[in-house]
Amino acid sequence: MKGQVADTTLTGPVHALDVPAVADSVGADPAIGLSRAEAARRLVADGPNELASTPPKTWAQRLLEQFASPLVLLLLAAIVVSLIAWWLEDASEVPFDAVAIATIVAVNAGIGALHERRAEKAVAALQEMAAAQAGVIRDGHYERIPARDVVVGDVIVLDEGDAVPADARITESRALAVSEASLTGESTAVRKTTSAVEEDTPLAERTSMVFAGTAAVAGHGRALVTATGMGTEVGTIATLLESTERQPTPLEREIAAVGRLLGMAVLAIAAVVVGAIVVVSDIDSAGDVVEVLLIGVSLAVAAVPEGLPAVLSIVLALGVQRMAGRNALVRRLSSAETLGSATVICTDKTGTLTRGEMTVRELLVNDQRVDVTGTGYGPEGELRVDGVRANGEVLALVRGALAAGALASNASVRLEGDRWVAVGDPTEAAIVAAAAKAGVTRHSMAALHRLDELPFTAERRRMSVLVAPTEPVTDEPMVFTKGAPEVVLDRCTHEQTTEGPGVLSADRRDWWREGVDDMAGRAMRTLAVAGRAHPATRLDDESEVGLVLYAVIGIIDPPRDEAAPAVADAQGAGIRVIMITGDHPATARQIAADLGIGDPDAQPVVGRSLEDLDQDALAGVAATTSVFARVAPTHKLQLVEALQARDEVVAMTGDGVNDAPALKAADIGTAMGIAGTDVAREAADLVLTDDNFATIVAAVSEGRGIFHNIRSFLRYLLSSNVGEVMTMFFGVVLAGVIGLTAEGEAVIAPLTAAQILWINLLTDTGPALALGVDPVHPGVLRQPPRHRGERVIDAAMQRGIALVGFTMAVVTLLMFDAKNPGGLIDGTSDVDTARTAAFTVLVLAQLFNCLNARSDDASAFHRWAVNPWLLLAIAASFGLQVLVVYLPALNEAFGTAPLSLADWLWSTVLASAVLWVSEARKLVARRRRQLGTSDPGPDPGGRGS
């Protein structure tokens, strides 16, 4: 394994050790670092500071994966049987059956390999997170080296904007703040100190450590590297990602079950029919044996829906394209349907439900609460008091307070493209943005320059700056202080009012404290801003006393505007929304309450409390809790697995490195495309290109539409193939009854293998594809999600398939008997004409079945013209059948003969029986439902048909 971890097994975790103990553990001097020779030795011994990765799969490997489906294996077996029969028969012509089936299998494999790229690049994306360069101290001197050459024991130097190349113990901090949102989910920058923390401190609160893949946003510091490569916290996530198996989707499991069922059915039916032929026929030559084998092949061809894998892939691909048009990119075809089956959405908070941008929400000044509109770091927004735009004296107070806060900050904002971004600490950037909304910009304060600074530290919990006019004037320099309200308030003796500084009495202090508590109770981070004139040119502790309190500022990472409606839509669709975040419980609770997630009075469950729960207890907590806070990556993974153990279909959304294992383990992982990390995107099945939680609901709608369409074409394909199987089965078993014999032949089949394959190619492709693009009905979101254990092909659908298949067989054989001499109805045509008429009846019956198959209970005449592609496919299939009947070349290839107009009329009338029988069954089902005697609800897709 690449990378190394400090040897602290005897003394405890490095975050809980003091600096000398950590230095002893890694064998390095925090002052001068490692020698270059020692660093080189360690690099050779431990390997580079990078994450292990697996080689990407080749196209050949991806193609081979497509043949693992039982249905595809069944088709491959049909190819082998067809080739054997072709060789035994003559082998002088092209093996049309085998070539056609092989072509379909190859097309399906190509489509699957093209669209179903697995997430094998997830670890490679993690590796790209490492900083390209790192500043280190070696032999007492500062130098820049490639981040992959950092080793345990190196002293790294961190400045504002630097990426952290490895996990390290802080040895020196001057207001060092690190953004760890992508690793822990913490929305605010974490201030780092040299003080050790308790052993059981959660990852998000280990202020004595910095971690690979995070970035310094403020201050300066040094740290002693304690872990590199796979030994880092990011490496731990990479290990989880490698060991997390992706579960097959419900659709994949169902199609595999269909393939196994069809395989057993083919073997059983072929054995029965071939056995019956051997018993009732005179098999006395090799030619008779070949003929029996050809009938067996015909049965195999009839039983297997050759087009199903390809049609399934194409329909999913078309659905994926529609989702892409709605800003949802699907990376794995079968996942498109799974999202429509989701019963739970586990969502991250920071950057998913919220904007991931700190924003000043309100200020307290001079007995007034001033609301600040607008979100993010842009200048758009205004200041309001009681809903009215602030002006006059109140506006002057707010401008003064925000100007002081902006001056006492090191952050800035800038426009990148069409988006404002923070440069430096996000909290300070939020104050700068709020000042711009009040008309106070860096440009307007350009006449002031900074003389001195007392930086923010965890011990001081405040920052002060001394500023003075650039030009010599009579005004004294000013000290401006911002920090924790309880700290700043204790150093204030006055408060700013519209009439100037006023004495800060005990009652007024209580008023300010109550305001701070109110903001904190609404999940805001609070900062107090104060200042006073300062005659000296340097700052010390005494400079921060006797201050005038200007304002208390409330800052929050606000919910996205569209998040609350999206949550409501998801819940209306029967989908439970669970927030799983690494942020503070109070913040998580308030955001959840704002968005309508869970019980607003319930306390969030903290991730640490999950560690002592057994599997049953964890499943119980997952079933009843909607908000989880301070959650580590392993906790997210455990929660997803606990929900899946309760047969929930889990969609997991997230954007950070910490979300990747849970994204991969979930039934459908959904990553943010803009704010999301490469790791999250590569581990996910679905990527939202607009980072909009509402897009998930749109994708659910599309997913449910895809599922309805899959049911439609499965209903159509399987009922059609059952009709073909029954036609062949009863045609052989009842050959003597319907006159299905010919002089000199042991037995003949009602249809040839070529005709059966033509039917499958003709009706199982165009019409099935057209059923796959039925428009999604808006009412699909008003239906409850499909349960994990619910079959795609349920009992009602099975009964409908059997009834339609039986009806097809009856009318097909009836037409054959009516045209063929002998049997129950003595016809006058030859065998080829009788077979052509029966062949045509079966084709037309399947075209009528297109309209019937759109729903299990809705009438075929309900919005029958809503899908023009289906009508076009029916017309095209009918036209091709006409060509097969009348073109001499096709007559020769398929053993057909021209039909009369009367034959066409009778074929149409008999074939339409499929439609009328189904309409009668659906009518009975609807009446029973209205009377309350049928448990199943109506087919959701039926109302959309």
Side-chain angles (χ1 to χ4, degrees):
M1 179 179 292
K2 298 177 182 178
Q4 185 64 32
V5 183
D7 182 12
T8 57
T9 54
L10 299 178
T11 54
V14 290
H15 60 265
L17 301 177
D18 58 24
V19 171
V22 175
D24 288 343
S25 177
V26 299
D29 187 333
I32 63 174
L34 298 173
S35 67
R36 292 183 179 87
E38 175 62 15
R41 187 194 67 78
R42 294 190 182 192
L43 184 62
V44 171
D46 300 337
N49 175 36
E50 57 188 17
L51 299 175
S53 61
T54 55
K57 292 180 181 177
T58 65
W59 271 106
Q61 289 173 315
R62 290 197 181 103
L63 284 171
L64 286 175
E65 285 181 349
Q66 309 306 314
F67 294 96
S69 164
L71 192 58
V72 175
L73 294 176
L74 188 59
L75 291 177
L76 294 176
I79 293 173
V80 173
V81 174
S82 296
L83 288 173
I84 293 173
W86 165 77
W87 181 76
L88 290 174
E89 183 182 26
D90 191 354
S92 61
E93 298 180 355
V94 175
F96 179 76
D97 297 355
V99 170
I101 299 174
T103 301
I104 291 172
V105 171
V107 169
N108 171 66
I111 293 172
L114 180 64
H115 288 281
E116 296 187 11
R117 296 185 62 192
R118 307 284 294 192
E120 72 275 357
K121 294 194 299 181
V123 175
L126 274 168
Q127 184 174 347
E128 293 175 3
M129 291 186 60
Q133 295 286 316
V136 299
I137 302 296
R138 286 186 176 171
D139 287 325
H141 301 287
Y142 175 83
E143 59 183 82
R144 301 283 292 178
I145 64 171
R148 69 190 307 272
D149 293 343
V150 170
V151 297
V152 170
D154 263 328
V155 177
I156 56 174
V157 179
L158 296 173
D159 291 311
E160 183 176 314
D162 286 345
V164 180
D167 289 4
R169 174 67 165 82
I170 297 294
T171 61
E172 179 183 327
S173 175
R174 293 192 60 194
L176 179 64
V178 178
S179 175
E180 297 178 346
S182 65
L183 181 65
T184 66
E186 180 68 58
S187 58
T188 59
V190 180
R191 298 287 177 175
K192 298 298 181 178
T193 71
T194 59
S195 302
V197 295
E198 296 295 327
E199 287 191 17
D200 59 352
T201 302
L203 187 68
E205 298 174 7
R206 294 177 188 173
T207 54
S208 61
M209 297 288 297
V210 289
F211 303 102
T214 62
V217 296
H220 315 280
R222 291 187 179 190
L224 199 57
V225 174
T226 58
T228 61
M230 295 299 288
T232 63
E233 293 294 335
V234 172
T236 301
I237 295 174
T239 303
L240 284 174
L241 207 55
E242 287 180 326
S243 62
T244 301
E245 295 185 4
R246 192 185 296 278
Q247 299 298 317
T249 69
L251 179 62
E252 288 173 327
R253 290 193 291 267
E254 187 75 6
I255 296 302
V258 169
R260 289 190 293 270
L261 178 62
L262 287 175
M264 292 185 291
V266 167
L267 293 175
I269 293 172
V272 170
V273 172
V274 171
I277 292 174
V278 171
V279 171
V280 302
S281 304
D282 297 325
I283 307 299
D284 55 11
S285 68
D288 292 343
V289 173
V290 169
E291 194 166 353
V292 172
L293 285 176
L294 284 175
I295 292 175
V297 171
S298 299
L299 282 168
V301 171
V304 179
E306 291 89 350
L308 176 55
V311 170
L312 179 62
S313 294
I314 291 171
V315 168
L316 287 171
L318 292 173
V320 164
Q321 290 179 6
R322 291 198 303 272
M323 285 188 177
R326 303 181 74 170
N327 300 312
L329 297 180
V330 176
R331 302 183 64 251
R332 188 175 180 232
L333 278 184
S334 54
S335 299
E337 175 273 332
T338 310
L339 187 60
S341 306
T343 59
V344 175
I345 296 178
C346 295
T347 175
D348 187 27
K349 178 188 73 68
T350 304
T352 307
L353 292 171
T354 65
R355 295 177 59 91
E357 300 172 332
M358 301 304 291
T359 302
V360 173
R361 177 65 60 84
E362 64 184 55
L363 297 92
L364 295 179
V365 293
N366 190 39
D367 278 338
Q368 296 284 351
R369 192 185 78 175
V370 180
D371 297 316
V372 183
T373 65
T375 55
Y377 302 118
E380 298 80 13
E382 60 183 22
L383 288 74
R384 296 176 179 174
V385 177
D386 296 329
V388 179
R389 188 168 184 171
N391 53 39
E393 295 175 337
V394 172
L395 180 59
L397 289 177
V398 172
R399 283 177 171 169
L402 289 174
L407 287 168
S409 299
N410 291 318
S412 61
V413 298
R414 67 168 177 245
L415 187 62
E416 292 185 356
D418 59 352
R419 184 167 176 257
W420 287 89
V421 298
V423 180
D425 185 279
T427 301
E428 292 186 346
I431 297 175
V432 173
K437 295 175 185 178
V440 180
T441 64
R442 292 288 188 186
H443 178 73
S444 66
M445 296 184 292
L448 299 173
H449 70 283
R450 185 179 296 185
L451 299 176
D452 197 11
E453 171 187 343
L454 291 177
F456 181 99
T457 66
E459 294 78 19
R460 287 170 36 78
R461 300 179 65 196
R462 64 189 183 277
M463 172 186 179
S464 295
V465 295
L466 183 64
V467 299
T470 303
E471 298 295 331
V473 292
T474 57
D475 290 345
E476 288 185 304
M478 295 288 295
V479 58
F480 295 124
T481 301
K482 77 173 193 318
E486 61 272 22
V487 174
V488 175
L489 194 59
D490 287 344
R491 293 178 170 268
C492 291
T493 57
H494 293 74
E495 61 179 328
Q496 191 70 21
T497 71
T498 55
E499 298 177 354
V503 175
L504 189 60
S505 65
D507 290 342
R508 293 298 300 157
R509 288 181 186 276
D510 291 341
W511 181 86
W512 284 102
R513 291 190 178 104
E514 289 172 2
V516 170
D517 292 342
D518 175 64
M519 287 183 176
R522 288 180 286 129
M524 294 186 198
R525 182 180 183 184
T526 56
L527 289 174
V529 180
R532 70 176 177 88
H534 190 276
T537 58
R538 286 291 179 265
L539 294 175
D540 54 31
D541 285 345
E542 295 302 315
S543 304
E544 298 173 317
V545 297
L547 299 173
V548 178
L549 181 61
Y550 296 152
V552 170
I553 303 174
I555 304 173
I556 195 170
D557 177 13
R560 293 177 177 271
D561 294 338
E562 65 279 358
V567 169
D569 287 344
Q571 292 170 341
I575 301 171
R576 181 176 166 220
V577 179
I578 300 176
M579 178 194 292
I580 304 177
T581 178
D583 218 333
H584 192 279
T587 305
R589 179 184 179 186
Q590 184 61 48
I591 295 296
D594 290 345
L595 298 178
I597 298 175
D599 182 356
D601 296 326
Q603 291 294 329
V605 171
V606 178
R608 189 189 306 175
S609 66
L610 302 176
E611 297 174 357
D612 298 327
L613 301 180
D614 59 26
Q615 189 172 3
D616 291 339
L618 181 61
V621 170
T624 57
T625 304
S626 297
V627 183
F628 295 86
R630 284 287 187 250
V631 174
T634 52
H635 301 145
K636 293 187 178 186
L637 185 59
Q638 290 169 352
L639 287 170
V640 169
E641 292 173 343
L643 289 165
Q644 289 173 328
R646 294 178 57 85
D647 288 333
E648 302 282 4
V649 178
V650 182
M652 171 71 189
T653 73
D655 60 355
V657 179
N658 56 328
D659 299 320
L663 289 175
K664 188 175 179 182
D667 294 283
I668 178 157
T670 305
M672 303 298 113
I674 298 174
T677 60
D678 287 342
V679 184
R681 287 193 292 268
E682 293 299 331
D685 303 294
L686 184 74
V687 178
L688 306 183
T689 60
D690 59 357
D691 285 12
N692 190 337
F693 186 82
T695 302
I696 299 173
V697 179
V700 167
S701 174
E702 288 289 352
R704 290 189 177 184
I706 289 172
F707 174 69
H708 162 61
N709 292 346
I710 288 173
R711 279 178 58 92
S712 295
F713 77 69
L714 280 176
R715 186 184 297 113
Y716 167 70
L717 287 176
L718 295 179
S719 59
S720 297
N721 281 83
V722 167
E724 296 165 20
V725 169
M726 288 187 174
T727 297
M728 295 296 292
F729 178 77
F730 290 118
V732 171
V733 173
L734 303 176
V737 177
I738 61 176
L740 190 56
T741 58
E743 186 176 351
E745 296 184 25
V747 66
I748 62 173
L751 301 173
T752 67
Q755 288 172 345
I756 290 293
L757 188 58
W758 170 261
I759 294 173
N760 285 357
L761 290 175
L762 184 68
T763 61
D764 289 9
T765 51
L769 280 173
L771 285 170
V773 295
D774 247 12
V776 179
H777 192 277
V780 75
L781 279 180
R782 294 195 293 269
Q783 302 299 320
R786 179 169 62 95
H787 191 268
R788 180 185 291 274
E790 183 180 343
R791 302 291 301 273
V792 177
I793 306 172
D794 57 19
M797 186 170 167
Q798 292 172 11
R799 291 192 295 268
I801 288 171
L803 179 61
V804 169
F806 180 76
T807 304
M808 284 183 184
V810 169
V811 296
T812 301
L813 295 176
L814 183 61
M815 188 65 178
F816 184 94
D817 189 22
K819 297 294 293 182
N820 193 51
L824 297 175
I825 305 173
D826 192 13
T828 58
S829 300
D830 56 27
V831 171
D832 284 344
T833 302
R835 185 177 278 153
T836 302
F839 174 36
T840 300
V841 167
L842 190 52
V843 168
L844 295 180
Q846 294 193 16
L847 295 182
F848 278 112
N849 192 32
C850 287
L851 299 174
N852 164 68
R854 293 175 66 236
S855 173
D856 239 352
D857 63 357
S859 170
F861 300 101
H862 176 62
R863 300 180 70 210
W864 65 274
V866 73
N867 186 353
W869 292 107
L870 182 59
L871 301 180
L872 181 62
I874 292 174
S877 297
F878 178 79
L880 290 172
Q881 180 63 19
V882 171
L883 294 180
V884 166
V885 172
Y886 290 110
L887 284 183
L890 295 179
N891 291 156
E892 179 70 22
F894 290 96
T896 57
L899 297 177
S900 67
L901 179 60
D903 290 337
W904 279 100
L905 291 175
W906 275 110
S907 295
T908 303
V909 170
L910 287 172
S912 68
V914 168
L915 184 61
W916 308 122
V917 168
S918 294
E919 285 296 298
R921 181 188 65 82
K922 292 178 181 180
L923 179 61
V924 171
R926 290 195 298 270
R927 291 288 173 83
R928 289 178 62 193
R929 185 173 296 111
Q930 290 172 358
L931 295 174
T933 59
S934 181
D935 292 335
D939 178 14
R943 289 192 285 271
S945 302

